[in-house]
Amino acid sequence: MKYEEWKWNDSLITSEEMVDYQHKNLFRTINDLIRACNESDTPNGLLVEVGLDELLKYATYHFKEEEQVMEKHHYPNQPNHTAMFSLIYKP
């Protein structure tokens, strides 16, 4: 099975330069992982493992940064975002 790469589009822009930059990096990291999975019928396990590790590390970093931006701007939906983030990482 081949996985489809994620496509960035302008509807995802938040107008927070740092957040948008990090979102684009998340897309790149996810797409690197997808390419590693799509390389052959039996993906290189090490490439996939390294890709997953990189993705989790970067996502954790990003979530912490994004929470700070939401606090700074008193984002009203922050509790929901924090709950969603906590499914992936523990602050």
Side-chain angles (χ1 to χ4, degrees):
M1 171 156 90
K2 298 292 182 187
Y3 300 96
E4 196 171 320
E5 290 188 26
W6 288 22
K7 306 228 183 317
W8 177 263
N9 67 69
D10 289 346
S11 73
L12 301 169
I13 293 174
T14 67
S15 298
E16 276 292 326
E17 189 175 332
M18 182 266 304
V19 172
D20 290 335
Y21 175 80
Q22 290 181 3
H23 284 168
K24 288 176 184 177
N25 277 339
L26 281 168
F27 269 65
R28 277 192 284 280
T29 304
I30 289 165
N31 285 334
D32 287 346
L33 180 58
I34 289 170
R35 282 189 290 279
C37 289
N38 287 342
E39 275 187 349
S40 69
D41 291 335
T42 53
N44 181 323
L46 181 59
L47 285 177
V48 172
E49 184 177 340
V50 168
L52 279 172
D53 186 56
E54 183 179 337
L55 176 59
L56 289 173
K57 285 178 182 174
Y58 194 77
T60 298
Y61 162 77
H62 166 69
F63 293 156
K64 290 176 184 177
E65 294 284 310
E66 192 169 64
E67 283 180 340
Q68 291 175 0
V69 170
M70 287 189 277
E71 284 177 22
K72 176 182 165 188
H73 294 287
H74 306 288
Y75 183 62
N77 204 22
Q78 183 180 358
N80 291 335
H81 275 81
T82 301
M84 181 180 64
F85 295 164
S86 71
L87 295 173
I88 297 172
Y89 86 102
K90 300 293 180 211

